[in-house]
Amino acid sequence: MKKDSRDRKTVMLHVFYRILGTAVHALLPAVLPVLNFTAPGWEIEQRLGRYQDNFHRSSGPLIWMHAASVGEVQAARVLIAALTEQIPSSYFFVTTMTRQGREAARARLPQVRCELAPLDTSQAVRQALRTVRPDAYVCLETELWPVMLRETSRAGIPLLLLNGRLSERSFRRYRLLPGFMADLLKNFTAVGVIGEQDGARFRELGAEQVQVCGNLKYDLPAADAGAMRDKYRQLLKPGGKKIFICGSTRTGEEKLLLSVYRRLRQETADKLLWIIAPRHLKRLDEVRRLLNEARLEYELFSRCAAEGRTADIVLVDSLGELADLYAAADVSFCGGSLVNKGGHNIMEPVRWRRPVCFGPFMQDFADAAEMVLAAGAGFQVKNADELADCLSTLLRDERLYAQTCQAAERLAAAQQGSAQRQAELVIRELRKARQEISER
C-alpha cells in the first residue's frame, strides 16, 4: 500500500510538472513580441528549442553536452578533449542555462557550437531533439531536468550523467521525493560521479550503473613531482630555507600577506624564501611599490632564472610559470581568496603533493575547496592572522605536515584519469546504441 501511494505521488508530480510546462509554452506566443522587445537577451527562439537547422554531420557521432553554467563549461572542455582524442570525427553541441555560461563556452570552445538550453517543456525539448538529433546526451554534474531526461530516454538516445556530485544538503532535499528521483535517475544509461560519497548518495536515490571517476575539472596532466620539484629548487637554491609560494594573488592581498611573511620569517629565524605570483602581470608595478615601501629586498623571477637568486623575496614576472612552480613549495597559499575574488584553482598546488592554504572566498572553486578539505590536503582560513597560524603550525609540526602531503598525493592521484574514464563511458554507450540499431 505504501509503495502504491508513493507511485501515485510520483505520477502526480510528473503530471503536474508537464501541465505547468505546457501552460508556460502555450502562453509564450502571446508574450513573445514583448519579450523580444524588452528582453532580447532571453533569446526565446533557442529557449523553445528552435535552433537553426545547420548542425554539422560528419561520419562520427554528435554528442550533446549540457553544462549549466561557467563551472561546468570547464568540465565540458576537458571531456571534449578526451573524446576528440578517442573519436577524432566526433562533433559536439554544448548548451548552458545562462548567457554568461554560453559566452564562457564560446570563448573556451571556439570550434564547438554553443547555445542556450531549451525550456524544460515537452514541446521545446521535442523540437530541440528533432533539430539536433544527437547520438548521445551528456548531462554534466547534477543538472536534472525531468522532461529533458524522459523525452531523451524515450527517443532511444543514450543518456549519461557525468562528473556527478551531490552535496549533503541536496541529498536531503532529494530524499523528500524518493519515487520521483528514482524515476528520473533511471533514465540514465550510465552515471559517472566524482567521489565515493557522491556514488553512495546517487545509488540510494535510485541511480543505476554508477561508477566513481574523479573530477574532470581537476584531471591535471600527470607529471613527475620529484623531478619538477628538483628543477625549480635547483633554480631557486633555497639552501636550508623553507619556500612559501603565494600564487594568483589579487589587489589588496599582498598587503595582507606581508604580515604573514614577516611573522613566518621571524619564527623561522630568516630561513624563509617568499615567492609572490600576481594573477595579472599588469599589477607587477603595484606589488613592487608595496615591497619598496616596506623596504624589503626582492628580485624578479626572470633574473633568478638567468643569473641566480640573491634576494629572499621573488616576484614572478612570467606567464605560465606558476602551475609548475608550485612544485618547489614547502607551503602554498592560493590567492583571490583572502579578498572577495572567488578564489583560484587550489588543485594546482595539491597536484605536487604539498599542502595548500586558502581564504574564505572560494565561490568559483567551492567544489575544489570541499574536496581538498574532506581529503585533509589543505586548510581554509578566515583571515591573514589565521593563515599565519596555520602556516606556522605546518612548518613546526612535522607529523601534521607529512600527513597533509600524503593526503594531497592521494587526492591528486584520485583525479588523474578522470577524463579518460568518463570518455570511455560515453564511448561504451555509443557502441551499445549502435549495436542495438544494427540488430533491429
Side-chain angles (χ1 to χ4, degrees):
M1 183 64 122
K2 188 175 180 181
K3 183 178 184 298
D4 290 343
S5 174
R6 191 170 69 183
D7 288 345
R8 283 197 299 271
K9 184 178 178 182
T10 298
V11 171
M12 288 177 66
L13 282 169
H14 278 295
V15 170
F16 176 75
Y17 189 88
R18 282 177 174 271
I19 290 172
L20 183 63
T22 300
V24 169
H25 200 94
L27 288 171
L28 277 175
V31 298
L32 190 57
V34 178
L35 286 172
N36 281 334
F37 179 74
T38 60
W42 279 38
E43 301 188 47
I44 298 300
E45 290 297 308
Q46 289 191 21
R47 298 299 192 185
L48 294 176
R50 297 173 184 167
Y51 304 111
Q52 292 183 6
D53 191 9
N54 60 349
F55 282 83
H56 173 74
R57 293 286 164 180
S58 65
S59 58
L62 190 157
I63 300 167
W64 181 343
M65 241 174 246
H66 180 64
S69 193
V70 178
E72 292 79 15
V73 167
Q74 177 58 24
R77 184 182 180 186
V78 176
L79 182 57
I80 286 172
L83 283 166
T84 302
E85 188 175 336
Q86 293 290 320
I87 315 174
S89 60
S90 55
Y91 180 71
F92 302 93
F93 174 55
V94 172
T95 53
T96 68
M97 292 306 300
T98 65
R99 292 173 63 203
Q100 182 185 14
R102 185 185 63 179
E103 296 316 304
R106 287 177 173 176
R108 298 175 189 180
L109 298 164
Q111 306 304 317
V112 173
R113 182 168 175 182
C114 306
E115 306 290 3
L116 294 172
L119 292 170
D120 199 43
T121 68
S122 298
Q123 298 90 332
V125 169
R126 288 170 185 168
Q127 176 64 47
L129 291 172
R130 282 195 299 268
T131 303
V132 181
R133 293 179 294 131
D135 294 289
Y137 181 92
V138 174
C139 171
L140 290 165
E141 301 208 1
T142 315
E143 190 74 7
L144 305 175
W145 292 102
V147 174
M148 174 59 83
L149 299 186
R150 179 162 287 191
E151 293 293 343
T152 305
S153 179
R154 282 178 174 174
I157 298 166
L159 189 64
L160 298 97
L161 171 64
L162 298 182
N163 225 45
R165 61 190 305 269
L166 200 55
S167 68
E168 178 62 30
R169 181 181 177 185
S170 296
F171 177 60
R172 287 198 303 269
R173 190 165 63 242
Y174 287 147
R175 284 183 69 186
L176 297 175
L177 301 168
F180 185 76
M181 289 307 301
D183 199 45
L184 284 187
L185 292 171
K186 284 177 181 175
N187 287 303
F188 290 108
T189 53
V191 177
V193 298
I194 290 173
E196 294 288 351
Q197 195 170 49
D198 300 301
R201 289 169 180 164
F202 272 108
R203 289 187 189 97
E204 187 168 336
L205 289 173
E208 300 172 353
Q209 304 297 323
V210 178
Q211 179 176 328
V212 177
C213 298
N215 196 321
L216 281 170
K217 289 187 283 187
Y218 306 120
D219 184 6
L220 299 170
D224 187 332
M228 192 65 72
R229 184 172 176 82
D230 289 344
K231 170 188 169 181
Y232 281 105
R233 290 179 77 92
Q234 285 173 14
L235 186 153
L236 294 166
K237 294 183 170 52
K241 300 179 187 292
K242 298 291 185 181
I243 296 182
F244 171 37
I245 295 182
C246 295
S248 298
T249 55
R250 307 294 288 269
T251 301
E253 224 159 21
E254 293 89 2
K255 188 173 182 179
L256 296 172
L257 293 166
L258 195 56
S259 62
V260 177
Y261 165 71
R262 282 175 166 152
R263 176 176 158 185
L264 294 179
R265 186 180 67 175
Q266 183 178 20
E267 290 183 0
T268 59
D270 288 342
K271 293 187 179 297
L272 188 71
L273 172 55
W274 186 24
I275 299 176
I276 312 167
R279 177 66 173 177
H280 303 294
L281 293 185
K282 64 184 180 182
R283 294 191 53 248
L284 283 174
D285 287 343
E286 177 188 335
V287 180
R288 293 176 80 163
R289 281 195 299 273
L290 176 68
L291 295 173
N292 287 331
E293 289 168 5
R295 297 185 178 181
L296 291 170
E297 291 185 15
Y298 67 90
E299 60 189 325
L300 298 177
F301 182 81
S302 57
R303 184 181 178 280
C304 291
E307 304 175 23
R309 181 187 64 81
T310 57
D312 283 346
I313 299 177
V314 176
L315 186 56
V316 178
D317 59 338
S318 52
L319 283 171
E321 199 77 54
L322 177 62
D324 288 342
L325 183 58
Y326 274 127
D330 291 294
V331 288
S332 296
F333 165 77
C334 203
S337 61
L338 275 181
V339 293
N340 194 1
K341 294 294 183 180
H344 288 295
N345 188 357
I346 54 177
M347 286 301 292
E348 286 187 343
V350 167
R351 73 185 286 219
W352 301 116
R353 309 185 304 207
R354 301 290 155 178
V356 63
C357 297
F358 48 96
F361 302 107
M362 288 292 291
Q363 306 93 299
D364 294 346
F365 292 88
D367 55 344
E370 181 182 336
M371 191 164 60
V372 166
L373 293 174
F379 304 90
Q380 187 166 29
V381 299
K382 295 178 182 177
N383 51 46
D385 288 337
E386 279 197 14
L387 176 61
D389 291 340
C390 180
L391 293 169
S392 177
T393 301
L394 276 171
L395 292 174
R396 283 196 327 268
D397 189 333
E398 293 183 3
R399 183 178 178 182
L400 174 64
Y401 182 78
Q403 288 174 344
T404 311
C405 289
Q406 289 165 6
E409 183 175 9
R410 288 193 297 270
L411 178 58
Q415 308 317 309
Q416 289 176 9
S418 174
Q420 183 61 34
R421 286 189 287 272
Q422 298 194 52
E424 286 172 357
L425 285 180
V426 178
I427 294 167
R428 184 190 73 190
E429 295 305 318
L430 286 170
R431 285 173 179 161
K432 283 169 61 178
R434 192 161 55 239
Q435 185 176 350
E436 286 173 6
I437 291 172
S438 66
E439 290 174 352
R440 288 175 189 169

